[in-house]
PDB file of all heavy atoms in Angstrom:
ATOM      1  N   TRP A   2      57.994-107.563-125.169  1.00  0.00           N
ATOM      2  CA  TRP A   2      58.895-106.520-124.747  1.00  0.00           C
ATOM      3  C   TRP A   2      60.423-106.820-124.973  1.00  0.00           C
ATOM      4  O   TRP A   2      61.022-106.024-125.571  1.00  0.00           O
ATOM      5  CB  TRP A   2      58.681-106.290-123.181  1.00  0.00           C
ATOM      6  CG  TRP A   2      59.688-105.310-122.594  1.00  0.00           C
ATOM      7  CD1 TRP A   2      59.724-104.019-122.726  1.00  0.00           C
ATOM      8  CD2 TRP A   2      60.814-105.736-121.746  1.00  0.00           C
ATOM      9  NE1 TRP A   2      60.835-103.533-122.013  1.00  0.00           N
ATOM     10  CE2 TRP A   2      61.512-104.561-121.337  1.00  0.00           C
ATOM     11  CE3 TRP A   2      61.197-106.942-121.248  1.00  0.00           C
ATOM     12  CZ2 TRP A   2      62.645-104.542-120.647  1.00  0.00           C
ATOM     13  CZ3 TRP A   2      62.422-106.966-120.514  1.00  0.00           C
ATOM     14  CH2 TRP A   2      63.000-105.770-120.170  1.00  0.00           C
ATOM     15  N   THR A   3      60.725-108.059-124.579  1.00  0.00           N
ATOM     16  CA  THR A   3      62.116-108.445-124.879  1.00  0.00           C
ATOM     17  C   THR A   3      62.527-108.432-126.442  1.00  0.00           C
ATOM     18  O   THR A   3      63.674-108.160-126.696  1.00  0.00           O
ATOM     19  CB  THR A   3      62.536-109.838-124.189  1.00  0.00           C
ATOM     20  OG1 THR A   3      61.796-110.850-124.885  1.00  0.00           O
ATOM     21  CG2 THR A   3      62.240-109.802-122.714  1.00  0.00           C
ATOM     22  N   MET A   4      61.638-108.890-127.177  1.00  0.00           N
ATOM     23  CA  MET A   4      61.900-108.777-128.674  1.00  0.00           C
ATOM     24  C   MET A   4      62.151-107.423-129.118  1.00  0.00           C
ATOM     25  O   MET A   4      63.087-107.273-129.900  1.00  0.00           O
ATOM     26  CB  MET A   4      60.648-109.449-129.363  1.00  0.00           C
ATOM     27  CG  MET A   4      60.411-110.911-129.168  1.00  0.00           C
ATOM     28  SD  MET A   4      58.879-111.586-129.852  1.00  0.00           S
ATOM     29  CE  MET A   4      59.064-111.164-131.567  1.00  0.00           C
ATOM     30  N   GLY A   5      61.469-106.490-128.607  1.00  0.00           N
ATOM     31  CA  GLY A   5      61.628-105.135-129.084  1.00  0.00           C
ATOM     32  C   GLY A   5      62.955-104.535-128.546  1.00  0.00           C
ATOM     33  O   GLY A   5      63.751-103.866-129.256  1.00  0.00           O
ATOM     34  N   MET A   6      63.219-104.960-127.295  1.00  0.00           N
ATOM     35  CA  MET A   6      64.505-104.426-126.555  1.00  0.00           C
ATOM     36  C   MET A   6      65.696-105.043-127.468  1.00  0.00           C
ATOM     37  O   MET A   6      66.605-104.336-127.696  1.00  0.00           O
ATOM     38  CB  MET A   6      64.634-104.914-125.174  1.00  0.00           C
ATOM     39  CG  MET A   6      63.845-104.010-124.221  1.00  0.00           C
ATOM     40  SD  MET A   6      64.248-102.280-124.319  1.00  0.00           S
ATOM     41  CE  MET A   6      66.120-102.336-124.239  1.00  0.00           C
ATOM     42  N   HIS A   7      65.626-106.323-127.668  1.00  0.00           N
ATOM     43  CA  HIS A   7      66.813-106.956-128.547  1.00  0.00           C
ATOM     44  C   HIS A   7      66.875-106.287-129.870  1.00  0.00           C
ATOM     45  O   HIS A   7      67.969-105.944-130.169  1.00  0.00           O
ATOM     46  CB  HIS A   7      66.509-108.522-128.710  1.00  0.00           C
ATOM     47  CG  HIS A   7      67.469-109.072-129.708  1.00  0.00           C
ATOM     48  ND1 HIS A   7      67.077-109.205-130.999  1.00  0.00           N
ATOM     49  CD2 HIS A   7      68.634-109.479-129.762  1.00  0.00           C
ATOM     50  CE1 HIS A   7      68.025-109.717-131.664  1.00  0.00           C
ATOM     51  NE2 HIS A   7      69.001-109.932-130.903  1.00  0.00           N
ATOM     52  N   THR A   8      65.862-106.200-130.653  1.00  0.00           N
ATOM     53  CA  THR A   8      65.969-105.654-131.866  1.00  0.00           C
ATOM     54  C   THR A   8      66.389-104.230-131.971  1.00  0.00           C
ATOM     55  O   THR A   8      67.315-103.762-132.864  1.00  0.00           O
ATOM     56  CB  THR A   8      64.638-105.845-132.668  1.00  0.00           C
ATOM     57  OG1 THR A   8      64.280-107.186-132.600  1.00  0.00           O
ATOM     58  CG2 THR A   8      64.906-105.558-134.146  1.00  0.00           C
ATOM     59  N   PHE A   9      65.924-103.441-131.077  1.00  0.00           N
ATOM     60  CA  PHE A   9      66.321-102.018-130.961  1.00  0.00           C
ATOM     61  C   PHE A   9      67.811-101.920-130.679  1.00  0.00           C
ATOM     62  O   PHE A   9      68.622-101.129-131.203  1.00  0.00           O
ATOM     63  CB  PHE A   9      65.654-101.306-129.921  1.00  0.00           C
ATOM     64  CG  PHE A   9      65.929 -99.818-129.878  1.00  0.00           C
ATOM     65  CD1 PHE A   9      65.231 -98.892-130.623  1.00  0.00           C
ATOM     66  CD2 PHE A   9      66.970 -99.317-129.104  1.00  0.00           C
ATOM     67  CE1 PHE A   9      65.434 -97.535-130.652  1.00  0.00           C
ATOM     68  CE2 PHE A   9      67.195 -97.902-129.080  1.00  0.00           C
ATOM     69  CZ  PHE A   9      66.450 -97.001-129.859  1.00  0.00           C
ATOM     70  N   SER A  10      68.383-102.805-129.817  1.00  0.00           N
ATOM     71  CA  SER A  10      69.789-102.820-129.338  1.00  0.00           C
ATOM     72  C   SER A  10      70.714-103.317-130.530  1.00  0.00           C
ATOM     73  O   SER A  10      71.838-102.931-130.568  1.00  0.00           O
ATOM     74  CB  SER A  10      70.007-103.642-128.176  1.00  0.00           C
ATOM     75  OG  SER A  10      69.883-105.059-128.561  1.00  0.00           O
ATOM     76  N   ALA A  11      70.159-103.871-131.456  1.00  0.00           N
ATOM     77  CA  ALA A  11      70.848-104.413-132.690  1.00  0.00           C
ATOM     78  C   ALA A  11      71.011-103.201-133.846  1.00  0.00           C
ATOM     79  O   ALA A  11      71.798-103.417-134.687  1.00  0.00           O
ATOM     80  CB  ALA A  11      70.187-105.653-133.275  1.00  0.00           C
ATOM     81  N   ILE A  12      70.320-102.146-133.676  1.00  0.00           N
ATOM     82  CA  ILE A  12      70.378-101.205-134.714  1.00  0.00           C
ATOM     83  C   ILE A  12      71.807-100.573-134.812  1.00  0.00           C
ATOM     84  O   ILE A  12      72.429-100.417-135.896  1.00  0.00           O
ATOM     85  CB  ILE A  12      69.304-100.056-134.423  1.00  0.00           C
ATOM     86  CG1 ILE A  12      67.912-100.659-134.555  1.00  0.00           C
ATOM     87  CG2 ILE A  12      69.593 -98.853-135.437  1.00  0.00           C
ATOM     88  CD1 ILE A  12      66.843 -99.660-134.327  1.00  0.00           C
ATOM     89  N   PRO A  13      72.436-100.269-133.767  1.00  0.00           N
ATOM     90  CA  PRO A  13      73.772 -99.771-133.814  1.00  0.00           C
ATOM     91  C   PRO A  13      74.799-100.735-134.453  1.00  0.00           C
ATOM     92  O   PRO A  13      75.969-100.409-134.972  1.00  0.00           O
ATOM     93  CB  PRO A  13      74.259 -99.411-132.293  1.00  0.00           C
ATOM     94  CG  PRO A  13      73.024 -99.295-131.694  1.00  0.00           C
ATOM     95  CD  PRO A  13      72.066-100.253-132.264  1.00  0.00           C
ATOM     96  N   ASP A  14      74.465-102.075-134.427  1.00  0.00           N
ATOM     97  CA  ASP A  14      75.359-103.085-134.989  1.00  0.00           C
ATOM     98  C   ASP A  14      75.104-103.405-136.424  1.00  0.00           C
ATOM     99  O   ASP A  14      75.666-104.497-136.936  1.00  0.00           O
ATOM    100  CB  ASP A  14      75.193-104.385-134.059  1.00  0.00           C
ATOM    101  CG  ASP A  14      75.643-104.132-132.672  1.00  0.00           C
ATOM    102  OD1 ASP A  14      76.433-103.304-132.421  1.00  0.00           O
ATOM    103  OD2 ASP A  14      75.151-104.849-131.792  1.00  0.00           O
ATOM    104  N   ILE A  15      74.159-102.777-137.063  1.00  0.00           N
ATOM    105  CA  ILE A  15      73.759-103.128-138.425  1.00  0.00           C
ATOM    106  C   ILE A  15      75.026-103.166-139.362  1.00  0.00           C
ATOM    107  O   ILE A  15      75.240-104.107-140.141  1.00  0.00           O
ATOM    108  CB  ILE A  15      72.641-102.221-138.991  1.00  0.00           C
ATOM    109  CG1 ILE A  15      71.323-102.474-138.331  1.00  0.00           C
ATOM    110  CG2 ILE A  15      72.468-102.315-140.537  1.00  0.00           C
ATOM    111  CD1 ILE A  15      70.174-101.537-138.782  1.00  0.00           C
ATOM    112  N   GLU A  16      75.648-102.121-139.380  1.00  0.00           N
ATOM    113  CA  GLU A  16      76.884-101.995-140.308  1.00  0.00           C
ATOM    114  C   GLU A  16      77.998-103.122-140.013  1.00  0.00           C
ATOM    115  O   GLU A  16      78.463-103.690-140.868  1.00  0.00           O
ATOM    116  CB  GLU A  16      77.377-100.619-140.383  1.00  0.00           C
ATOM    117  CG  GLU A  16      76.399 -99.693-141.143  1.00  0.00           C
ATOM    118  CD  GLU A  16      75.879-100.196-142.389  1.00  0.00           C
ATOM    119  OE1 GLU A  16      76.679-100.756-143.170  1.00  0.00           O
ATOM    120  OE2 GLU A  16      74.612-100.076-142.626  1.00  0.00           O
ATOM    121  N   PRO A  17      78.414-103.103-138.656  1.00  0.00           N
ATOM    122  CA  PRO A  17      79.363-104.082-138.273  1.00  0.00           C
ATOM    123  C   PRO A  17      78.951-105.619-138.496  1.00  0.00           C
ATOM    124  O   PRO A  17      79.774-106.395-139.030  1.00  0.00           O
ATOM    125  CB  PRO A  17      79.555-103.873-136.833  1.00  0.00           C
ATOM    126  CG  PRO A  17      79.231-102.504-136.635  1.00  0.00           C
ATOM    127  CD  PRO A  17      78.122-102.188-137.493  1.00  0.00           C
ATOM    128  N   ASP A  18      77.591-105.795-138.318  1.00  0.00           N
ATOM    129  CA  ASP A  18      77.176-107.193-138.545  1.00  0.00           C
ATOM    130  C   ASP A  18      77.110-107.466-140.150  1.00  0.00           C
ATOM    131  O   ASP A  18      77.470-108.624-140.526  1.00  0.00           O
ATOM    132  CB  ASP A  18      75.744-107.349-138.033  1.00  0.00           C
ATOM    133  CG  ASP A  18      75.735-107.549-136.515  1.00  0.00           C
ATOM    134  OD1 ASP A  18      76.776-107.874-136.015  1.00  0.00           O
ATOM    135  OD2 ASP A  18      74.641-107.394-135.898  1.00  0.00           O
ATOM    136  N   ARG A  19      76.750-106.479-140.956  1.00  0.00           N
ATOM    137  CA  ARG A  19      76.710-106.679-142.402  1.00  0.00           C
ATOM    138  C   ARG A  19      78.162-106.934-142.887  1.00  0.00           C
ATOM    139  O   ARG A  19      78.326-107.737-143.645  1.00  0.00           O
ATOM    140  CB  ARG A  19      76.082-105.467-143.049  1.00  0.00           C
ATOM    141  CG  ARG A  19      74.508-105.516-143.026  1.00  0.00           C
ATOM    142  CD  ARG A  19      73.954-104.227-143.543  1.00  0.00           C
ATOM    143  NE  ARG A  19      72.512-104.251-143.649  1.00  0.00           N
ATOM    144  CZ  ARG A  19      71.718-103.228-143.955  1.00  0.00           C
ATOM    145  NH1 ARG A  19      72.346-102.051-144.237  1.00  0.00           N
ATOM    146  NH2 ARG A  19      70.442-103.325-144.063  1.00  0.00           N
ATOM    147  N   ALA A  20      79.060-106.162-142.309  1.00  0.00           N
ATOM    148  CA  ALA A  20      80.470-106.312-142.758  1.00  0.00           C
ATOM    149  C   ALA A  20      81.018-107.695-142.431  1.00  0.00           C
ATOM    150  O   ALA A  20      81.816-108.194-143.080  1.00  0.00           O
ATOM    151  CB  ALA A  20      81.307-105.264-142.108  1.00  0.00           C
ATOM    152  N   ALA A  21      80.527-108.261-141.346  1.00  0.00           N
ATOM    153  CA  ALA A  21      80.942-109.612-140.873  1.00  0.00           C
ATOM    154  C   ALA A  21      80.167-110.747-141.428  1.00  0.00           C
ATOM    155  O   ALA A  21      80.367-111.847-141.182  1.00  0.00           O
ATOM    156  CB  ALA A  21      80.976-109.628-139.244  1.00  0.00           C
ATOM    157  N   GLY A  22      79.108-110.310-142.216  1.00  0.00           N
ATOM    158  CA  GLY A  22      78.357-111.406-142.787  1.00  0.00           C
ATOM    159  C   GLY A  22      77.310-111.913-141.970  1.00  0.00           C
ATOM    160  O   GLY A  22      76.673-113.065-142.174  1.00  0.00           O
ATOM    161  N   ILE A  23      76.935-111.225-140.763  1.00  0.00           N
ATOM    162  CA  ILE A  23      75.919-111.717-139.922  1.00  0.00           C
ATOM    163  C   ILE A  23      74.601-111.181-140.184  1.00  0.00           C
ATOM    164  O   ILE A  23      74.441-109.935-140.449  1.00  0.00           O
ATOM    165  CB  ILE A  23      76.358-111.294-138.432  1.00  0.00           C
ATOM    166  CG1 ILE A  23      77.688-111.786-138.025  1.00  0.00           C
ATOM    167  CG2 ILE A  23      75.207-111.666-137.443  1.00  0.00           C
ATOM    168  CD1 ILE A  23      77.767-113.281-138.022  1.00  0.00           C
ATOM    169  N   GLU A  24      73.638-112.123-140.342  1.00  0.00           N
ATOM    170  CA  GLU A  24      72.277-111.716-140.597  1.00  0.00           C
ATOM    171  C   GLU A  24      71.332-111.642-139.399  1.00  0.00           C
ATOM    172  O   GLU A  24      71.375-112.650-138.689  1.00  0.00           O
ATOM    173  CB  GLU A  24      71.635-112.661-141.660  1.00  0.00           C
ATOM    174  CG  GLU A  24      72.256-112.608-143.071  1.00  0.00           C
ATOM    175  CD  GLU A  24      71.422-113.442-143.995  1.00  0.00           C
ATOM    176  OE1 GLU A  24      70.149-113.253-144.061  1.00  0.00           O
ATOM    177  OE2 GLU A  24      72.030-114.301-144.627  1.00  0.00           O
ATOM    178  N   THR A  25      70.790-110.528-139.077  1.00  0.00           N
ATOM    179  CA  THR A  25      69.915-110.358-138.009  1.00  0.00           C
ATOM    180  C   THR A  25      68.609-109.744-138.429  1.00  0.00           C
ATOM    181  O   THR A  25      68.414-109.327-139.510  1.00  0.00           O
ATOM    182  CB  THR A  25      70.587-109.441-136.874  1.00  0.00           C
ATOM    183  OG1 THR A  25      70.675-108.067-137.433  1.00  0.00           O
ATOM    184  CG2 THR A  25      71.902-109.928-136.467  1.00  0.00           C
ATOM    185  N   THR A  26      67.583-109.573-137.494  1.00  0.00           N
ATOM    186  CA  THR A  26      66.388-108.920-137.867  1.00  0.00           C
ATOM    187  C   THR A  26      66.707-107.489-138.383  1.00  0.00           C
ATOM    188  O   THR A  26      66.076-107.008-139.265  1.00  0.00           O
ATOM    189  CB  THR A  26      65.520-108.861-136.641  1.00  0.00           C
ATOM    190  OG1 THR A  26      65.243-110.217-136.264  1.00  0.00           O
ATOM    191  CG2 THR A  26      64.156-108.154-137.062  1.00  0.00           C
ATOM    192  N   ALA A  27      67.683-106.878-137.574  1.00  0.00           N
ATOM    193  CA  ALA A  27      67.979-105.391-138.016  1.00  0.00           C
ATOM    194  C   ALA A  27      68.700-105.294-139.235  1.00  0.00           C
ATOM    195  O   ALA A  27      68.337-104.381-140.075  1.00  0.00           O
ATOM    196  CB  ALA A  27      68.872-104.853-136.813  1.00  0.00           C
ATOM    197  N   THR A  28      69.587-106.226-139.641  1.00  0.00           N
ATOM    198  CA  THR A  28      70.319-106.158-140.910  1.00  0.00           C
ATOM    199  C   THR A  28      69.310-106.488-142.020  1.00  0.00           C
ATOM    200  O   THR A  28      69.438-105.928-143.112  1.00  0.00           O
ATOM    201  CB  THR A  28      71.477-107.092-140.968  1.00  0.00           C
ATOM    202  OG1 THR A  28      71.042-108.440-140.815  1.00  0.00           O
ATOM    203  CG2 THR A  28      72.517-106.749-139.929  1.00  0.00           C
ATOM    204  N   TYR A  29      68.286-107.428-141.693  1.00  0.00           N
ATOM    205  CA  TYR A  29      67.386-107.772-142.775  1.00  0.00           C
ATOM    206  C   TYR A  29      66.338-106.548-143.039  1.00  0.00           C
ATOM    207  O   TYR A  29      66.113-106.278-144.153  1.00  0.00           O
ATOM    208  CB  TYR A  29      66.600-109.004-142.272  1.00  0.00           C
ATOM    209  CG  TYR A  29      65.488-109.430-143.248  1.00  0.00           C
ATOM    210  CD1 TYR A  29      65.830-110.144-144.366  1.00  0.00           C
ATOM    211  CD2 TYR A  29      64.177-109.076-142.999  1.00  0.00           C
ATOM    212  CE1 TYR A  29      64.898-110.641-145.289  1.00  0.00           C
ATOM    213  CE2 TYR A  29      63.130-109.568-143.893  1.00  0.00           C
ATOM    214  CZ  TYR A  29      63.499-110.216-145.010  1.00  0.00           C
ATOM    215  OH  TYR A  29      62.453-110.605-145.881  1.00  0.00           O
ATOM    216  N   LEU A  30      65.877-105.880-141.999  1.00  0.00           N
ATOM    217  CA  LEU A  30      64.915-104.902-142.136  1.00  0.00           C
ATOM    218  C   LEU A  30      65.607-103.519-142.529  1.00  0.00           C
ATOM    219  O   LEU A  30      64.878-102.685-143.221  1.00  0.00           O
ATOM    220  CB  LEU A  30      64.101-104.658-140.914  1.00  0.00           C
ATOM    221  CG  LEU A  30      63.259-105.880-140.533  1.00  0.00           C
ATOM    222  CD1 LEU A  30      62.429-105.738-139.211  1.00  0.00           C
ATOM    223  CD2 LEU A  30      62.224-106.249-141.483  1.00  0.00           C
ATOM    224  N   GLY A  31      66.762-103.287-142.047  1.00  0.00           N
ATOM    225  CA  GLY A  31      67.285-101.954-142.232  1.00  0.00           C
ATOM    226  C   GLY A  31      66.832-101.153-141.076  1.00  0.00           C
ATOM    227  O   GLY A  31      65.956-101.373-140.371  1.00  0.00           O
ATOM    228  N   GLU A  32      67.585 -99.891-140.935  1.00  0.00           N
ATOM    229  CA  GLU A  32      67.290 -99.119-139.732  1.00  0.00           C
ATOM    230  C   GLU A  32      65.955 -98.563-139.673  1.00  0.00           C
ATOM    231  O   GLU A  32      65.265 -98.757-138.601  1.00  0.00           O
ATOM    232  CB  GLU A  32      68.286 -97.897-139.679  1.00  0.00           C
ATOM    233  CG  GLU A  32      68.046 -97.083-138.456  1.00  0.00           C
ATOM    234  CD  GLU A  32      69.269 -95.970-138.364  1.00  0.00           C
ATOM    235  OE1 GLU A  32      70.358 -96.247-138.924  1.00  0.00           O
ATOM    236  OE2 GLU A  32      69.057 -95.088-137.746  1.00  0.00           O
ATOM    237  N   THR A  33      65.360 -98.002-140.702  1.00  0.00           N
ATOM    238  CA  THR A  33      64.028 -97.401-140.679  1.00  0.00           C
ATOM    239  C   THR A  33      62.904 -98.482-140.277  1.00  0.00           C
ATOM    240  O   THR A  33      62.162 -98.279-139.434  1.00  0.00           O
ATOM    241  CB  THR A  33      63.655 -96.715-141.987  1.00  0.00           C
ATOM    242  OG1 THR A  33      64.640 -95.642-142.142  1.00  0.00           O
ATOM    243  CG2 THR A  33      62.294 -96.113-141.842  1.00  0.00           C
ATOM    244  N   ARG A  34      62.939 -99.541-141.041  1.00  0.00           N
ATOM    245  CA  ARG A  34      61.920-100.629-140.787  1.00  0.00           C
ATOM    246  C   ARG A  34      62.092-101.224-139.400  1.00  0.00           C
ATOM    247  O   ARG A  34      61.216-101.705-138.850  1.00  0.00           O
ATOM    248  CB  ARG A  34      61.995-101.616-141.914  1.00  0.00           C
ATOM    249  CG  ARG A  34      61.323-101.077-143.215  1.00  0.00           C
ATOM    250  CD  ARG A  34      61.152-102.083-144.265  1.00  0.00           C
ATOM    251  NE  ARG A  34      62.425-102.658-144.651  1.00  0.00           N
ATOM    252  CZ  ARG A  34      62.440-103.793-145.558  1.00  0.00           C
ATOM    253  NH1 ARG A  34      61.343-104.249-146.091  1.00  0.00           N
ATOM    254  NH2 ARG A  34      63.570-104.170-145.959  1.00  0.00           N
ATOM    255  N   THR A  35      63.347-101.323-139.023  1.00  0.00           N
ATOM    256  CA  THR A  35      63.592-101.872-137.640  1.00  0.00           C
ATOM    257  C   THR A  35      62.970-101.058-136.624  1.00  0.00           C
ATOM    258  O   THR A  35      62.439-101.569-135.551  1.00  0.00           O
ATOM    259  CB  THR A  35      65.072-102.067-137.334  1.00  0.00           C
ATOM    260  OG1 THR A  35      65.662-102.953-138.344  1.00  0.00           O
ATOM    261  CG2 THR A  35      65.433-102.609-136.009  1.00  0.00           C
ATOM    262  N   TYR A  36      62.951 -99.781-136.606  1.00  0.00           N
ATOM    263  CA  TYR A  36      62.280 -98.816-135.817  1.00  0.00           C
ATOM    264  C   TYR A  36      60.796 -99.172-135.669  1.00  0.00           C
ATOM    265  O   TYR A  36      60.167 -99.303-134.642  1.00  0.00           O
ATOM    266  CB  TYR A  36      62.412 -97.403-136.114  1.00  0.00           C
ATOM    267  CG  TYR A  36      63.787 -96.781-135.754  1.00  0.00           C
ATOM    268  CD1 TYR A  36      64.689 -96.114-136.697  1.00  0.00           C
ATOM    269  CD2 TYR A  36      64.166 -96.784-134.387  1.00  0.00           C
ATOM    270  CE1 TYR A  36      65.757 -95.419-136.286  1.00  0.00           C
ATOM    271  CE2 TYR A  36      65.312 -96.006-133.996  1.00  0.00           C
ATOM    272  CZ  TYR A  36      66.174 -95.431-134.997  1.00  0.00           C
ATOM    273  OH  TYR A  36      67.291 -94.830-134.592  1.00  0.00           O
ATOM    274  N   TRP A  37      60.200 -99.393-136.929  1.00  0.00           N
ATOM    275  CA  TRP A  37      58.821 -99.675-136.938  1.00  0.00           C
ATOM    276  C   TRP A  37      58.466-101.100-136.297  1.00  0.00           C
ATOM    277  O   TRP A  37      57.489-101.201-135.658  1.00  0.00           O
ATOM    278  CB  TRP A  37      58.299 -99.645-138.370  1.00  0.00           C
ATOM    279  CG  TRP A  37      58.245 -98.195-138.957  1.00  0.00           C
ATOM    280  CD1 TRP A  37      58.933 -97.610-139.810  1.00  0.00           C
ATOM    281  CD2 TRP A  37      57.200 -97.210-138.414  1.00  0.00           C
ATOM    282  NE1 TRP A  37      58.470 -96.342-140.113  1.00  0.00           N
ATOM    283  CE2 TRP A  37      57.481 -96.088-139.197  1.00  0.00           C
ATOM    284  CE3 TRP A  37      56.134 -97.231-137.577  1.00  0.00           C
ATOM    285  CZ2 TRP A  37      56.732 -94.900-139.144  1.00  0.00           C
ATOM    286  CZ3 TRP A  37      55.431 -96.121-137.367  1.00  0.00           C
ATOM    287  CH2 TRP A  37      55.747 -94.896-138.139  1.00  0.00           C
ATOM    288  N   TYR A  38      59.380-102.051-136.647  1.00  0.00           N
ATOM    289  CA  TYR A  38      59.268-103.291-136.013  1.00  0.00           C
ATOM    290  C   TYR A  38      59.244-103.264-134.423  1.00  0.00           C
ATOM    291  O   TYR A  38      58.335-103.883-133.825  1.00  0.00           O
ATOM    292  CB  TYR A  38      60.327-104.257-136.458  1.00  0.00           C
ATOM    293  CG  TYR A  38      60.412-105.545-135.769  1.00  0.00           C
ATOM    294  CD1 TYR A  38      59.552-106.591-136.334  1.00  0.00           C
ATOM    295  CD2 TYR A  38      61.345-105.877-134.630  1.00  0.00           C
ATOM    296  CE1 TYR A  38      59.634-107.916-135.730  1.00  0.00           C
ATOM    297  CE2 TYR A  38      61.276-107.034-134.127  1.00  0.00           C
ATOM    298  CZ  TYR A  38      60.502-108.083-134.580  1.00  0.00           C
ATOM    299  OH  TYR A  38      60.536-109.316-133.942  1.00  0.00           O
ATOM    300  N   CYS A  39      60.169-102.513-133.856  1.00  0.00           N
ATOM    301  CA  CYS A  39      60.323-102.407-132.515  1.00  0.00           C
ATOM    302  C   CYS A  39      59.029-101.682-131.942  1.00  0.00           C
ATOM    303  O   CYS A  39      58.427-102.063-130.897  1.00  0.00           O
ATOM    304  CB  CYS A  39      61.409-101.539-132.000  1.00  0.00           C
ATOM    305  SG  CYS A  39      63.047-102.344-132.423  1.00  0.00           S
ATOM    306  N   ALA A  40      58.571-100.650-132.585  1.00  0.00           N
ATOM    307  CA  ALA A  40      57.297 -99.919-132.128  1.00  0.00           C
ATOM    308  C   ALA A  40      56.100-100.908-132.197  1.00  0.00           C
ATOM    309  O   ALA A  40      55.256-100.742-131.328  1.00  0.00           O
ATOM    310  CB  ALA A  40      57.067 -98.798-132.960  1.00  0.00           C
ATOM    311  N   LEU A  41      56.042-101.710-133.149  1.00  0.00           N
ATOM    312  CA  LEU A  41      54.972-102.649-133.280  1.00  0.00           C
ATOM    313  C   LEU A  41      54.929-103.793-132.183  1.00  0.00           C
ATOM    314  O   LEU A  41      53.811-103.880-131.480  1.00  0.00           O
ATOM    315  CB  LEU A  41      55.068-103.313-134.591  1.00  0.00           C
ATOM    316  CG  LEU A  41      53.953-104.455-134.909  1.00  0.00           C
ATOM    317  CD1 LEU A  41      52.493-103.964-134.798  1.00  0.00           C
ATOM    318  CD2 LEU A  41      54.108-105.183-136.257  1.00  0.00           C
ATOM    319  N   VAL A  42      55.995-104.330-131.983  1.00  0.00           N
ATOM    320  CA  VAL A  42      56.137-105.382-130.898  1.00  0.00           C
ATOM    321  C   VAL A  42      55.886-104.834-129.514  1.00  0.00           C
ATOM    322  O   VAL A  42      55.285-105.403-128.687  1.00  0.00           O
ATOM    323  CB  VAL A  42      57.384-106.218-130.976  1.00  0.00           C
ATOM    324  CG1 VAL A  42      57.357-107.019-132.242  1.00  0.00           C
ATOM    325  CG2 VAL A  42      58.574-105.493-130.780  1.00  0.00           C
ATOM    326  N   TRP A  43      56.313-103.527-129.298  1.00  0.00           N
ATOM    327  CA  TRP A  43      56.218-103.007-128.012  1.00  0.00           C
ATOM    328  C   TRP A  43      54.709-102.562-127.901  1.00  0.00           C
ATOM    329  O   TRP A  43      54.135-102.513-126.717  1.00  0.00           O
ATOM    330  CB  TRP A  43      57.039-101.781-127.842  1.00  0.00           C
ATOM    331  CG  TRP A  43      58.447-102.055-127.343  1.00  0.00           C
ATOM    332  CD1 TRP A  43      58.825-103.164-126.605  1.00  0.00           C
ATOM    333  CD2 TRP A  43      59.749-101.547-127.692  1.00  0.00           C
ATOM    334  NE1 TRP A  43      60.081-103.167-126.272  1.00  0.00           N
ATOM    335  CE2 TRP A  43      60.696-102.137-126.996  1.00  0.00           C
ATOM    336  CE3 TRP A  43      60.010-100.340-128.402  1.00  0.00           C
ATOM    337  CZ2 TRP A  43      62.004-101.763-127.007  1.00  0.00           C
ATOM    338  CZ3 TRP A  43      61.302 -99.908-128.444  1.00  0.00           C
ATOM    339  CH2 TRP A  43      62.313-100.674-127.732  1.00  0.00           C
TER     340      TRP A  43
END
């Protein structure tokens, strides 16, 4: 549950994180696949 919550909350940060050179699950998957990742872990 926490994995899904964390990754969902990172979706709004995808562009700022990419601009800052930060790699996260959300920046790696992109917005659409991150939604599917969250749905799967939940």
Side-chain angles (χ1 to χ4, degrees):
W2 169 76
T3 63
M4 289 171 62
M6 279 306 309
H7 164 267
T8 308
F9 186 89
S10 70
I12 296 176
D14 296 333
I15 288 177
E16 293 309 319
D18 284 344
R19 283 176 173 169
I23 300 295
E24 292 188 53
T25 67
T26 302
T28 63
Y29 177 80
L30 294 175
E32 183 171 337
T33 299
R34 287 190 295 178
T35 299
Y36 279 125
W37 287 111
Y38 173 85
C39 293
L41 174 62
V42 294
W43 276 330

